[in-house]
Amino acid sequence: MTEATEPDKTQVYLVPVAHLELADEPEYVHLSLYSWNERTDAWLTQTGICGRSTTQGALPEGTEVTCPGCLKWRPAYDQTVAGHNHRRELESEARRQQAMAEDTTENGAWHTVWLESKWRWITSRMTTPQREYAADCVAAYSRYLATCDGELERDEPEGLRWWRADQ
Ligand SMILES: [Zn+2]
Protein backbone atom coordinates (compact mmCIF):
# COMPACT_ATOMS: atom_id res chain seq x y z
CA MET A 1 0.00 0.00 0.00
CA THR A 2 1.36 3.40 -0.92
CA GLU A 3 0.06 6.93 -0.47
CA ALA A 4 -0.78 7.07 -4.16
CA THR A 5 -2.98 3.99 -4.25
CA GLU A 6 -6.28 3.58 -2.45
CA PRO A 7 -6.23 0.50 -0.24
CA ASP A 8 -8.28 -2.31 -1.73
CA LYS A 9 -11.17 -3.20 0.58
CA THR A 10 -10.93 -6.89 -0.27
CA GLN A 11 -7.32 -6.98 0.88
CA VAL A 12 -5.59 -7.09 4.23
CA TYR A 13 -2.43 -5.10 4.97
CA LEU A 14 0.31 -5.10 7.60
CA VAL A 15 0.81 -1.57 8.89
CA PRO A 16 2.83 0.14 11.63
CA VAL A 17 0.79 1.14 14.69
CA ALA A 18 1.56 3.11 17.83
CA HIS A 19 1.84 1.63 21.33
CA LEU A 20 -0.79 2.48 23.93
CA GLU A 21 -0.27 5.75 25.78
CA LEU A 22 0.39 4.09 29.13
CA ALA A 23 3.23 4.75 31.54
CA ASP A 24 4.48 1.15 31.67
CA GLU A 25 4.07 0.49 27.94
CA PRO A 26 7.34 0.03 25.99
CA GLU A 27 7.71 2.79 23.38
CA TYR A 28 7.66 0.48 20.41
CA VAL A 29 6.16 0.83 16.98
CA HIS A 30 4.16 -2.37 16.41
CA LEU A 31 2.79 -4.09 13.35
CA SER A 32 -0.91 -4.78 12.98
CA LEU A 33 -3.28 -6.25 10.46
CA TYR A 34 -5.25 -3.52 8.74
CA SER A 35 -8.53 -4.40 7.08
CA TRP A 36 -11.82 -2.92 5.96
CA ASN A 37 -14.64 -3.39 8.44
CA GLU A 38 -18.06 -3.55 6.75
CA ARG A 39 -20.00 -3.02 9.97
CA THR A 40 -18.29 0.23 10.96
CA ASP A 41 -17.57 1.21 7.35
CA ALA A 42 -13.97 2.03 8.21
CA TRP A 43 -10.41 0.73 8.06
CA LEU A 44 -9.39 -0.77 11.39
CA THR A 45 -6.15 -1.95 12.94
CA GLN A 46 -6.02 -4.69 15.56
CA THR A 47 -3.67 -5.64 18.37
CA GLY A 48 0.00 -5.87 17.41
CA ILE A 49 0.98 -9.18 15.83
CA CYS A 50 3.15 -9.63 18.95
CA GLY A 51 -0.10 -9.73 20.93
CA ARG A 52 0.08 -6.32 22.62
CA SER A 53 -2.80 -3.86 22.52
CA THR A 54 -2.07 -0.85 20.35
CA THR A 55 -3.54 2.53 19.51
CA GLN A 56 -6.18 2.36 16.79
CA GLY A 57 -5.11 3.63 13.37
CA ALA A 58 -2.23 3.10 10.97
CA LEU A 59 0.94 5.18 11.29
CA PRO A 60 2.32 6.66 8.06
CA GLU A 61 3.71 4.09 5.66
CA GLY A 62 7.43 3.64 6.13
CA THR A 63 7.36 4.23 9.90
CA GLU A 64 10.03 1.94 11.30
CA VAL A 65 8.72 -1.02 13.29
CA THR A 66 10.76 -1.38 16.49
CA CYS A 67 8.88 -4.01 18.50
CA PRO A 68 11.07 -7.18 18.63
CA GLY A 69 7.99 -9.42 18.90
CA CYS A 70 6.35 -7.91 15.84
CA LEU A 71 9.59 -8.11 13.86
CA LYS A 72 9.91 -11.77 14.78
CA TRP A 73 6.39 -12.59 13.59
CA ARG A 74 6.54 -10.39 10.51
CA PRO A 75 7.74 -13.04 7.98
CA ALA A 76 4.99 -15.46 9.00
CA TYR A 77 2.35 -12.72 8.77
CA ASP A 78 3.70 -11.48 5.45
CA GLN A 79 3.13 -14.97 4.08
CA THR A 80 -0.35 -15.33 5.55
CA VAL A 81 -1.41 -11.91 4.31
CA ALA A 82 -0.02 -12.58 0.83
CA GLY A 83 -1.87 -15.91 0.69
CA HIS A 84 -5.13 -14.31 1.83
CA ASN A 85 -4.80 -11.44 -0.62
CA HIS A 86 -4.00 -13.78 -3.47
CA ARG A 87 -7.14 -15.83 -2.75
CA ARG A 88 -9.25 -12.68 -2.64
CA GLU A 89 -7.78 -11.55 -5.96
CA LEU A 90 -8.67 -14.89 -7.53
CA GLU A 91 -12.21 -14.60 -6.15
CA SER A 92 -12.58 -11.05 -7.48
CA GLU A 93 -11.28 -12.14 -10.84
CA ALA A 94 -13.70 -15.10 -10.95
CA ARG A 95 -16.61 -12.76 -10.09
CA ARG A 96 -15.47 -10.31 -12.73
CA GLN A 97 -15.25 -12.99 -15.40
CA GLN A 98 -18.66 -14.33 -14.44
CA ALA A 99 -20.12 -10.83 -14.69
CA MET A 100 -18.45 -10.27 -18.06
CA ALA A 101 -20.08 -13.49 -19.31
CA GLU A 102 -23.45 -11.93 -18.44
CA ASP A 103 -23.03 -9.33 -21.16
CA THR A 104 -25.32 -11.20 -23.56
CA THR A 105 -27.74 -9.86 -26.16
CA GLU A 106 -30.67 -11.37 -24.29
CA ASN A 107 -29.68 -9.88 -20.92
CA GLY A 108 -29.05 -6.52 -22.53
CA ALA A 109 -32.44 -6.62 -24.24
CA TRP A 110 -34.33 -7.41 -21.03
CA HIS A 111 -32.35 -4.73 -19.20
CA THR A 112 -33.55 -2.16 -21.72
CA VAL A 113 -37.13 -3.36 -21.21
CA TRP A 114 -36.65 -2.90 -17.47
CA LEU A 115 -35.12 0.52 -17.91
CA GLU A 116 -37.31 2.02 -20.63
CA SER A 117 -40.76 0.49 -20.30
CA LYS A 118 -43.52 -0.19 -17.79
CA TRP A 119 -41.82 -3.16 -16.20
CA ARG A 120 -44.56 -3.87 -13.72
CA TRP A 121 -47.27 -3.83 -16.36
CA ILE A 122 -45.32 -5.96 -18.83
CA THR A 123 -44.34 -8.56 -16.26
CA SER A 124 -47.90 -8.64 -14.87
CA ARG A 125 -48.86 -10.15 -18.24
CA MET A 126 -46.41 -13.01 -17.70
CA THR A 127 -46.52 -16.17 -15.63
CA THR A 128 -44.29 -16.08 -12.58
CA PRO A 129 -41.68 -18.44 -14.10
CA GLN A 130 -41.58 -16.19 -17.18
CA ARG A 131 -41.09 -12.97 -15.26
CA GLU A 132 -38.56 -14.58 -12.91
CA TYR A 133 -36.62 -15.51 -16.00
CA ALA A 134 -36.84 -11.98 -17.39
CA ALA A 135 -35.80 -10.57 -14.01
CA ASP A 136 -32.83 -12.96 -13.91
CA CYS A 137 -31.71 -11.52 -17.26
CA VAL A 138 -32.09 -7.94 -15.98
CA ALA A 139 -30.21 -8.79 -12.77
CA ALA A 140 -27.42 -10.47 -14.73
CA TYR A 141 -26.99 -7.47 -17.03
CA SER A 142 -27.14 -5.17 -14.04
CA ARG A 143 -24.29 -7.16 -12.42
CA TYR A 144 -22.33 -6.81 -15.62
CA LEU A 145 -22.83 -3.02 -15.61
CA ALA A 146 -21.94 -2.81 -11.91
CA THR A 147 -18.72 -4.71 -12.57
CA CYS A 148 -17.86 -2.28 -15.36
CA ASP A 149 -18.37 0.50 -12.78
CA GLY A 150 -16.16 -1.36 -10.29
CA GLU A 151 -19.03 -1.88 -7.83
CA LEU A 152 -19.03 -5.58 -7.17
CA GLU A 153 -21.39 -5.40 -4.23
CA ARG A 154 -24.26 -3.52 -5.87
CA ASP A 155 -27.67 -5.11 -5.21
CA GLU A 156 -30.13 -5.99 -7.92
CA PRO A 157 -32.42 -3.13 -9.03
CA GLU A 158 -35.12 -2.26 -6.51
CA GLY A 159 -38.63 -3.37 -7.39
CA LEU A 160 -37.36 -5.75 -10.04
CA ARG A 161 -39.28 -8.68 -8.58
CA TRP A 162 -42.31 -6.74 -7.34
CA TRP A 163 -44.43 -9.91 -7.41
CA ARG A 164 -42.40 -11.43 -4.59
CA ALA A 165 -43.25 -8.56 -2.26
CA ASP A 166 -46.97 -9.05 -2.97
CA GLN A 167 -46.91 -12.68 -1.90
ZN1 LIG B 1 4.64 -5.57 18.80
Side-chain angles (χ1 to χ4, degrees):
M1 184 177 48
T2 64
E3 297 273 332
T5 55
E6 276 284 295
D8 179 339
K9 289 175 185 171
T10 68
Q11 307 266 293
V12 171
Y13 301 91
L14 269 180
V15 295
V17 285
H19 62 85
L20 290 179
E21 293 291 335
L22 297 173
D24 58 349
E25 191 68 20
E27 297 197 354
Y28 289 142
V29 173
H30 299 274
L31 263 179
S32 163
L33 292 171
Y34 186 58
S35 58
W36 179 255
N37 185 285
E38 290 290 345
R39 199 170 47 77
T40 54
D41 207 31
W43 285 91
L44 295 180
T45 52
Q46 303 172 10
T47 56
I49 60 175
C50 62
R52 290 195 94 92
S53 296
T54 58
T55 302
Q56 180 57 238
L59 293 171
E61 198 193 357
T63 305
E64 193 192 347
V65 177
T66 54
C67 167
C70 285
L71 289 172
K72 182 180 144 212
W73 284 105
R74 181 176 216 158
Y77 271 82
D78 274 341
Q79 251 186 7
T80 307
V81 164
H84 171 271
N85 287 349
H86 184 61
R87 278 194 303 280
R88 295 303 296 267
E89 267 166 30
L90 291 180
E91 283 167 21
S92 296
E93 179 55 23
R95 268 210 306 275
R96 197 191 66 81
Q97 284 189 1
Q98 191 187 355
M100 287 301 145
E102 290 173 328
D103 175 23
T104 66
T105 306
E106 186 184 24
N107 290 347
W110 277 115
H111 191 265
T112 303
V113 172
W114 152 259
L115 212 58
E116 305 291 346
S117 74
K118 294 188 170 69
W119 177 254
R120 200 178 169 116
W121 184 84
I122 288 173
T123 49
S124 74
R125 297 299 188 265
M126 298 178 187
T127 64
T128 295
Q130 286 169 351
R131 57 200 184 197
E132 283 286 350
Y133 179 84
D136 285 345
C137 292
V138 174
Y141 200 75
S142 176
R143 279 195 297 274
Y144 158 69
L145 292 178
T147 303
C148 292
D149 293 345
E151 289 180 36
L152 291 174
E153 311 302 334
R154 195 191 290 171
D155 291 332
E156 76 175 36
E158 210 180 320
L160 179 63
R161 302 179 205 259
W162 57 269
W163 51 91
R164 289 189 183 178
D166 286 2
Q167 280 168 0

